[in-house]
Structure formats: structure tokens, C-alpha cells
Amino acid sequence: MSVVAVIGAQWGDEGKGKIVDLLSEKADAVIRFSGGDNAGHTVINPNGEFKLHIVPSGIFYPRAICVIGNGVVINPGVLLGELDALKSRGVDVGNLHISDRAHLIMPWHILLDGLEEEKRGQGAIGTTKKGIGPAFADKTARRGIRTCDLLNPKTLKERLAGILASKNELLTKVYNVPALDLESIFKEYSGYAARLAPHIKDTTSLVNDLISKGSNIVLEGAQGTMLDPDFGSYPFVTSSSPLAAGACIGSGINPRRIDRVVGIFKAYTTRVGGGPMPTELKDEVGEYIRQHAHEYGATTGRARRCGWFDAVVGRYSTELNGFTSGILTRLDVLDEMDAVKICVAYQMGGKTVDRFPADVEALENCTPVYEELPGWKAPTTDIRNAKKLPANARKYVKRIEDLIKCPFHIISIGPHREQSIVIKNII
Ligand code: GDP
Ligand code: IMO
Ligand code: MG
């Protein structure tokens, strides 16, 4: 009986989809609590291979209810497309519940995401252009439209008309692009409302009642800690909090009800989009990892930047989230390496720094301090017992655990559900 938050510990794409699918076997509810369809979570299980963007990765278990929490911004067209695709592959989506407080991504958000990125030029963030930043900005500025508004056509029309008038001024007068049409957006969103209405409800009460009954709950994080707007490499971040604290805000579960916080760490580092990445490898080793591990974005298909494991980031992530368990993924990707490196500190202006700094320019110019360990040069994908891992692989895992101050309770050595070494049960 536990409430477990699963959190990306680096810059996203750590393998949260695989792990949520694995941990959800015993879950009564799986809840997405932040982000939107900027996320791309890969799940490979007996149903096939799926890239989920907005539907929780617990959808494959009939016993679990799946919840899109209040902290998620929802593009209703994308959500319906994902539900149709799942249904066409035989997955029952009747158990999906959508918070009546979640904000909607509107056509102007997507348009503005692209226009703002264009305007940033060289300093572009490299967003997914899904309208995430503009939708969260409007939520905070109190000019958002929520899923509960879809259930009330009068409110929907009134809010649409008020908000669209000022958005159209921005679009036509600042960006010189054509205005959007109120009637066609109202019609489009009324169509979404008709299909989504049965799923929209007060999910906070639903989930808190389940917790009171002693149910198992998995909170599915999106993005990663270093993309957090407060603690990440600002401004090269996303617009909602991927942290454990964000799990409370984005679901309506109070902090005292969270029993375990699980950090998902990739055995090396990847990042998509712009911004500093101290351990990035712009050489043949980085290219080897990208090709060998097929490090291309699940949402945009962009090449992921690859580099060595950054323990400064890892330690910071443990501190911010309070991980009770770590999960190390993609260890198998390093199986053929002669040697592996771990960044233990940064050299910055003549000083050695072991904390993640706020200043992005300092980060761009820092030099990582590495420890080098011998590779293990042996396949790990069929191993199911940690003691059977090659000695050098065990040394690598142990050194990371010591540096990030978090024990690994699962080691993932392949994308399939069963390619997992369980050291300690988490749920
Ligand atoms: P998420 O966004 O955190 O869910 O991660 P993504 O799905 O975007 O990217 C993770 C990728 O790694 C996916 O292609 C997974 O199928 C794959 N994957 C997850 N765990 C492992 C692992 O242990 N080994 C290998 N080789 N691939 C993995
Ligand atoms: P999952 O859940 C990796 C990155 C984008 C960009 C920055 C801001 O699959 O781990 P946004 O569209 O959110 O405004 O883009 O954040 N980003 C991700 N990178 N994995 C993700 O999600 C990401 N979601 C956003 O590439 O750099
Ligand atoms: Mg992803």
C-alpha cells in the first residue's frame, strides 16, 4: 500500500515510460501530473511498442485507473488521437480519468510557441513546439481555459471570446500573422468536449479516496529535474515542475501522503534542445552512443545530445527530490566501452565546483572533472541478478550510487519490461 512518485532525474528521456509500465503491475492508479504532449514515453510490453505523450503509461493494466492530473496541459486533439490509436491496437481506455482543473492547449499556444522560438533566433530554447510554455504562462496569468470549461458551452464561448480578442491583437500586431477565428475554434473544441466529457471529473477526490482505502498509486513524472523552471538550466527548461514537489501540486495529493520517491537515472546523459550540458560529447564517443542506443526524441525525432554521466547533476537531483530509490536505466548501452567516465565536479574560472550553478553562461564554459573506470566489455541484457553483473559494471554502478547519494533498487538492461534487475521491490 504505497504512493510512489517516479521522477526523471536528468534532462528527460531517462526511461520513465518503461519503469512506470514495470512498476504499475501492482498499481490501482497511475497519474500523470505535469507537462503535456512534449513528453514521449516509450513502453514495450506484451501489447507491443508504444510512444505515449499524454496518456499515463499504466494504461495497459486493466486493474489500474489512469488519471491525467490538474498539473498537465492537455491538447485535446492530440489526446483523442492517442486514445484512438490505443483502441485500434486493442487497449481499453475506458479507465482514463481527466482532471476537471487541467488547462487546455489552445491553437494560439502552438502558434505562439513557434513564433516565440523564431524570435529568439540563436538563443532558441529548442522547445517541442507543442504550445507548452505559452499554455503554462496563460495558466499563471489567469487567462487559461480548463477542461471544466469544456463541459459548459456558455462559459467556453465567453472565455474563448475574451481571451481570443487579446491573442489576436498579439498575433496580428506583434507577429504580423493572420487572426484566429472564434467560431471555428469554438466548433472544434465543442467537438472535443462531446468526446472527452465522460472522462472529465474531480480526480483529486477520486485519488485521495483511493489513498484513504490503502491503494497503490504511481505518480508518473514527465521531463526531468534539470528541466525544472526553478532549479534547471534556466531559461533552457520546460514550464512546469517535473520534481517530486510537482507531483503534489499536479495531482492534489499532499506531501505527507507520498511514501516513496523514485529517481530514474540513465547510465549516461542525454539532452534534447538547447542549453548547457557540461558532459556533452561532440566526438565519436557521443556519436557511438547516439547510434548504438538510437538516441532520437520520442516526440520530435530530434537527435539527442549524448555524454558521460554527470554526478553533479545526479547529486543535485537527489537533494531536490529526496529519492528513496534510484533506478539506473540503459546500463547495457555501455556494454562495449573500453572505459567509462563519470563527471564528479566542474572546473569553473579556476575553481572546482561540485554544486550545480544557476548561471547558464558559467555552465556553458565549465570543464567537467572526470573519473575514469574500466569498461566491462560483456553483454548485460540477459542478466537478472545484480550479483551476476560483470565486476566492472558493479563498480560503475556503486561509484555512481556513492556520488549521487542514492541506492539503485532496479537496474534496467534493455527496453523490455522483463529486462530489469530488481534489487529491492519498490511497490
Ligand atoms: P522517457 O521519456 O523517460 O519515458 O524515455 P523515452 O521513452 O523518451 O526514452 C527512453 C528510451 O530508452 C526508449 O527508447 C526506451 O525503450 C529505451 N529504454 C528504456 N530502458 C532501457 C534500457 O535499460 N536499455 C535500453 N537499451 N533501452 C532502454
Ligand atoms: P519526457 O517526459 C526530453 C525539452 C525540450 C526543450 C525544453 C522546453 O519524454 O522525458 P517545451 O516543449 O517543454 O517547452 O521544451 O524541454 N523537453 C524534453 N526533453 N524529454 C522530455 O520529456 C521533454 N519535454 C520537454 O526539448 O529543450
Ligand atoms: Mg521521452
Side-chain angles (χ1 to χ4, degrees), residues 39-272:
H41 294 181
T42 312
V43 174
I44 305 177
N45 61 26
N47 300 67
E49 175 169 350
F50 300 84
K51 305 259 177 220
L52 298 172
H53 301 288
I54 186 111
V55 173
S57 303
I59 197 74
F60 306 97
Y61 293 102
R63 71 165 270 180
I65 66 159
C66 281
V67 175
I68 299 179
N70 56 283
V72 176
V73 286
I74 299 172
N75 179 327
V78 170
L79 172 57
L80 284 165
E82 200 162 302
L83 292 176
D84 287 343
L86 284 164
K87 276 192 270 185
S88 76
R89 293 177 68 185
V91 181
D92 180 10
V93 297
N95 251 348
L96 179 78
H97 305 268
I98 303 168
S99 167
D100 52 6
R101 293 168 192 271
H103 279 245
L104 295 172
I105 295 181
M106 303 302 294
W108 54 84
H109 294 138
I110 297 164
L111 212 52
L112 286 166
D113 199 356
L115 291 165
E116 285 169 7
E117 275 287 86
E118 218 171 282
K119 209 162 202 178
R120 287 184 194 110
Q122 284 291 88
I125 291 163
T127 74
T128 57
K129 298 197 178 148
K130 304 289 181 187
I132 306 298
F136 279 113
D138 277 349
K139 172 179 178 175
T140 310
R142 296 159 296 189
R143 50 170 183 250
I145 297 179
R146 297 185 298 167
T147 45
C148 58
D149 301 328
L150 288 178
L151 305 179
N152 184 336
K154 188 167 163 283
T155 315
L156 178 63
K157 189 81 177 260
E158 278 170 12
R159 284 196 68 73
L160 253 181
I163 295 165
L164 190 58
S166 68
K167 291 293 173 192
N168 273 340
E169 284 204 31
L170 181 64
L171 290 171
T172 56
K173 294 182 185 164
V174 175
Y175 290 103
N176 296 313
V177 297
L180 294 168
D181 178 56
L182 172 65
E183 284 309 324
S184 60
I185 297 177
F186 180 66
K187 194 164 164 240
E188 180 188 344
Y189 278 69
S190 300
Y192 298 146
R195 290 193 57 197
L196 291 176
H199 300 275
I200 298 173
K201 61 199 64 161
D202 171 8
T203 54
T204 300
S205 304
L206 181 73
V207 167
N208 275 298
D209 288 350
L210 277 178
I211 299 175
S212 297
K213 280 190 225 150
S215 304
N216 286 322
I217 311 284
V218 173
L219 287 149
E220 176 176 1
Q223 288 79 56
T225 296
M226 302 316 291
L227 291 170
D228 181 77
D230 278 274
F231 300 104
S233 46
Y234 189 89
F236 299 95
V237 294
T238 190
S239 300
S240 63
S241 178
L243 302 182
C248 298
I249 300 287
S251 64
I253 298 175
N254 73 55
R256 287 167 53 206
R257 296 194 116 171
I258 308 247
D259 301 298
R260 275 164 230 162
V261 184
V262 179
I264 315 298
F265 294 84
K266 202 179 267 195
Y268 48 93
T269 308
T270 62
R271 170 162 208 179
V272 207

Side-chain angles (χ1 to χ4, degrees), residues 13-18 40-42 298 304 330 332 412-415:
D13 303 328
E14 298 90 350
K16 298 176 292 293
K18 167 184 167 162
H41 294 181
T42 312
R304 293 176 182 153
R330 288 196 156 221
D332 54 296
S412 171
I413 28 63

Side-chain angles (χ1 to χ4, degrees), residues 266-308:
K266 202 179 267 195
Y268 48 93
T269 308
T270 62
R271 170 162 208 179
V272 207
M277 176 179 160
T279 63
E280 181 172 12
L281 291 167
K282 292 182 180 164
D283 57 8
E284 66 282 3
V285 181
E287 192 54 33
Y288 167 82
I289 295 176
R290 183 158 39 251
Q291 297 311 333
H292 182 62
H294 198 74
E295 286 289 5
Y296 291 89
T299 297
T300 57
R302 290 177 293 174
R304 293 176 182 153
R305 300 155 65 192
C306 301
W308 296 118

